[in-house]
Amino acid sequence: MTASLTVPLLWLMSYLVGALPFGYLVGRWKGVDLFKIGSGNIGATNVGRVLGRKFGILVFVLDFLKGAIPVAVVVPLANLVSSDVLPTFGSADVLRVGAAAFAFLGHLFPVYLRFRGGKGVATGAGAVAVLAPVPFAAALATWLLTALVSRMVSLASLAAVAVLSAVQLLIGGSAVVTGFCVLGSLLVAVRHRSNVGRLIRGTESQIGDGLMRQNLLRVLHVVAAGLWVGGAGFFNFVAAPSIFDTFKGVVQTAPSDRTANMAIVPSAPGATPEQIAKLHDDLGRALAGAAVGPIFPKYFAMQLVCAVVVLATAWTWRNTDPTTNKHRLRFLLALMASLSVAAGWWISDVVSRLRLARFDPSSEIAKAAIEQFATWHLVSLGLSFVTISLAFAILVLAAWLPQKFEDEKASGPA
């Protein structure tokens, strides 16, 4: 079979798999027509509301798999049938994205139900999990956090697809994969237009506020605060000073086993001991900076993730106990700490630019950069100390997390 026939047939199969209406079938199995009850949608959310959580989870998993499996098997199947598939279609990503798109469209417009389908979140998630694992992980984390904090599945889905597109655009990669993520996110948003209207009016349905939700919020808050304090404290007070001291010692003792017995300090004929000492010191700091520099983006990204989790969870408790201000104080501290992380990241970039400018061929630019570098570097260190102090205060307040809650039932359409 030729490639021009093999691939369209595989994409058609992807559509037929994606169109399998698991939600509708489970509903019929339980004697319910989901088109006529709840929100009238055959997705996992409405199934869970109408038939119970376990059936909602079952439908979500099945819808997820019907997006993931076609994407995962399309290339091996194509190569099995025809050896000239990839040369004809250019790359494996084209085949995978085609399978993902047809499976996704099958869920949205299933031929078995006269093209009345779901909103595509679970099926799209399955396809993206195979196509773009890192953006998928970010989107999944966003969905979980938003659902727990807002208790609105629709808002969580919209936030997740926004993060999915943003992360995929940020990290780059295959243009066809990026295009699928962006266009798929737009389609999900369009399918949620009725939910957006209810969100604006404040009438969107919410999941119940039970013991499981409260426990998950507490776990997320404590883990994020602990990771924030531990990670920032270890980097600032242990790792970074040790790296700078180590490189200083390595430069002073070179050649040694740490430098593969090679000299790394340039010769300086006629230099005074003070000049040689300064040369060693400058080189040691430069090498340590080269080692620490690449860590900063990851370090601030870790802090920002922790800050978002801590801030979001603290927001849910800010008005829990009107007789005390400790829950509101927790939220305010989290807000200030989050802002300090954002400011610290920006200042870190300023310090990095000034560090390079110190060696500019223009003596005037180099001199100005040297003068500003020390000031901004000191500001950066001070802001790091402020951030750690605020995060530590939040961690201490975790000993007084809210214990009471109301078991609220979900109501309204989804």
Short mmCIF file of all heavy atoms in Angstrom, two decimals, residues 229-242 245 299 381 384-386 388-389:
data_model
loop_
_atom_site.label_atom_id
_atom_site.label_comp_id
_atom_site.label_asym_id
_atom_site.label_seq_id
_atom_site.Cartn_x
_atom_site.Cartn_y
_atom_site.Cartn_z
N VAL A 229 11.31 27.23 50.84
CA VAL A 229 12.29 27.61 51.87
C VAL A 229 13.55 26.74 51.77
O VAL A 229 14.67 27.25 51.80
CB VAL A 229 11.66 27.46 53.28
CG1 VAL A 229 12.72 27.71 54.35
CG2 VAL A 229 10.51 28.44 53.45
N GLY A 230 13.35 25.45 51.62
CA GLY A 230 14.50 24.55 51.55
C GLY A 230 15.36 24.80 50.34
O GLY A 230 16.60 24.87 50.43
N GLY A 231 14.73 24.94 49.17
CA GLY A 231 15.49 25.16 47.94
C GLY A 231 16.22 26.48 47.94
O GLY A 231 17.41 26.56 47.62
N ALA A 232 15.49 27.56 48.31
CA ALA A 232 16.11 28.88 48.31
C ALA A 232 17.19 28.98 49.38
O ALA A 232 18.27 29.55 49.15
CB ALA A 232 15.04 29.95 48.53
N GLY A 233 16.92 28.44 50.56
CA GLY A 233 17.91 28.49 51.63
C GLY A 233 19.17 27.71 51.29
O GLY A 233 20.29 28.18 51.51
N PHE A 234 18.99 26.50 50.72
CA PHE A 234 20.16 25.70 50.37
C PHE A 234 20.99 26.38 49.29
O PHE A 234 22.22 26.41 49.39
CB PHE A 234 19.70 24.32 49.88
CG PHE A 234 20.83 23.43 49.48
CD1 PHE A 234 21.58 22.75 50.43
CD2 PHE A 234 21.16 23.27 48.14
CE1 PHE A 234 22.64 21.94 50.07
CE2 PHE A 234 22.21 22.45 47.76
CZ PHE A 234 22.96 21.79 48.73
N PHE A 235 20.34 26.93 48.28
CA PHE A 235 21.08 27.57 47.20
C PHE A 235 21.85 28.79 47.68
O PHE A 235 23.03 28.97 47.36
CB PHE A 235 20.13 27.96 46.07
CG PHE A 235 20.81 28.65 44.92
CD1 PHE A 235 21.55 27.92 43.99
CD2 PHE A 235 20.71 30.03 44.76
CE1 PHE A 235 22.19 28.56 42.94
CE2 PHE A 235 21.35 30.67 43.71
CZ PHE A 235 22.09 29.93 42.79
N ASN A 236 21.16 29.66 48.45
CA ASN A 236 21.78 30.93 48.86
C ASN A 236 22.81 30.78 49.96
O ASN A 236 23.82 31.50 49.97
CB ASN A 236 20.69 31.91 49.30
CG ASN A 236 19.94 32.53 48.15
OD1 ASN A 236 20.41 33.47 47.52
ND2 ASN A 236 18.77 31.98 47.83
N PHE A 237 22.57 29.86 50.90
CA PHE A 237 23.43 29.79 52.07
C PHE A 237 24.40 28.61 52.06
O PHE A 237 25.32 28.58 52.87
CB PHE A 237 22.57 29.73 53.34
CG PHE A 237 21.67 30.93 53.51
CD1 PHE A 237 20.30 30.77 53.64
CD2 PHE A 237 22.20 32.20 53.52
CE1 PHE A 237 19.47 31.88 53.79
CE2 PHE A 237 21.37 33.31 53.66
CZ PHE A 237 20.01 33.15 53.79
N VAL A 238 24.19 27.65 51.18
CA VAL A 238 25.06 26.48 51.14
C VAL A 238 25.72 26.31 49.78
O VAL A 238 26.95 26.35 49.66
CB VAL A 238 24.28 25.19 51.51
CG1 VAL A 238 25.20 23.98 51.44
CG2 VAL A 238 23.67 25.32 52.90
N ALA A 239 24.90 26.12 48.73
CA ALA A 239 25.44 25.78 47.41
C ALA A 239 26.27 26.91 46.81
O ALA A 239 27.44 26.71 46.45
CB ALA A 239 24.31 25.40 46.47
N ALA A 240 25.69 28.11 46.70
CA ALA A 240 26.40 29.21 46.04
C ALA A 240 27.69 29.59 46.77
O ALA A 240 28.75 29.70 46.13
CB ALA A 240 25.48 30.42 45.91
N PRO A 241 27.69 29.80 48.10
CA PRO A 241 28.96 30.10 48.79
C PRO A 241 30.00 28.99 48.62
O PRO A 241 31.20 29.28 48.44
CB PRO A 241 28.55 30.26 50.26
CG PRO A 241 27.11 30.62 50.21
CD PRO A 241 26.55 29.88 49.04
N SER A 242 29.55 27.73 48.66
CA SER A 242 30.50 26.62 48.50
C SER A 242 31.12 26.62 47.11
O SER A 242 32.32 26.36 46.95
CB SER A 242 29.79 25.29 48.75
OG SER A 242 29.33 25.21 50.08
N ASP A 245 33.73 29.47 46.97
CA ASP A 245 34.93 29.12 47.75
C ASP A 245 35.73 28.02 47.05
O ASP A 245 36.97 28.06 47.04
CB ASP A 245 34.52 28.64 49.15
CG ASP A 245 34.01 29.77 50.03
OD1 ASP A 245 34.28 30.94 49.69
OD2 ASP A 245 33.33 29.48 51.04
N TYR A 299 16.33 28.10 39.09
CA TYR A 299 16.12 28.45 40.50
C TYR A 299 14.91 29.38 40.65
O TYR A 299 14.03 29.14 41.51
CB TYR A 299 17.39 29.12 41.03
CG TYR A 299 17.24 29.83 42.35
CD1 TYR A 299 17.01 29.14 43.52
CD2 TYR A 299 17.36 31.23 42.42
CE1 TYR A 299 16.89 29.80 44.74
CE2 TYR A 299 17.26 31.89 43.63
CZ TYR A 299 17.02 31.17 44.79
OH TYR A 299 16.90 31.83 45.98
N LEU A 381 21.01 40.29 46.29
CA LEU A 381 21.23 39.50 47.50
C LEU A 381 20.24 39.87 48.60
O LEU A 381 19.70 39.00 49.29
CB LEU A 381 22.67 39.67 47.99
CG LEU A 381 23.78 39.11 47.10
CD1 LEU A 381 25.14 39.47 47.66
CD2 LEU A 381 23.64 37.59 46.96
N SER A 384 16.83 38.48 47.82
CA SER A 384 16.79 37.04 48.07
C SER A 384 16.57 36.76 49.55
O SER A 384 15.81 35.85 49.93
CB SER A 384 18.09 36.38 47.61
OG SER A 384 18.22 36.43 46.21
N PHE A 385 17.24 37.54 50.40
CA PHE A 385 17.07 37.37 51.85
C PHE A 385 15.63 37.69 52.26
O PHE A 385 15.04 36.99 53.09
CB PHE A 385 18.05 38.26 52.60
CG PHE A 385 17.94 38.14 54.09
CD1 PHE A 385 18.47 37.05 54.77
CD2 PHE A 385 17.28 39.12 54.83
CE1 PHE A 385 18.35 36.93 56.15
CE2 PHE A 385 17.17 39.02 56.21
CZ PHE A 385 17.71 37.91 56.87
N VAL A 386 15.05 38.74 51.67
CA VAL A 386 13.66 39.10 51.97
C VAL A 386 12.72 37.98 51.55
O VAL A 386 11.80 37.60 52.29
CB VAL A 386 13.29 40.42 51.26
CG1 VAL A 386 11.79 40.68 51.36
CG2 VAL A 386 14.06 41.58 51.86
N ILE A 388 13.35 34.76 51.16
CA ILE A 388 13.50 33.59 52.04
C ILE A 388 12.83 33.85 53.38
O ILE A 388 12.18 32.96 53.95
CB ILE A 388 14.98 33.24 52.22
CG1 ILE A 388 15.59 32.79 50.89
CG2 ILE A 388 15.17 32.17 53.27
CD1 ILE A 388 17.08 32.60 50.93
N SER A 389 12.96 35.06 53.90
CA SER A 389 12.35 35.39 55.19
C SER A 389 10.83 35.30 55.11
O SER A 389 10.17 34.75 56.01
CB SER A 389 12.77 36.80 55.62
OG SER A 389 14.17 36.88 55.77
#
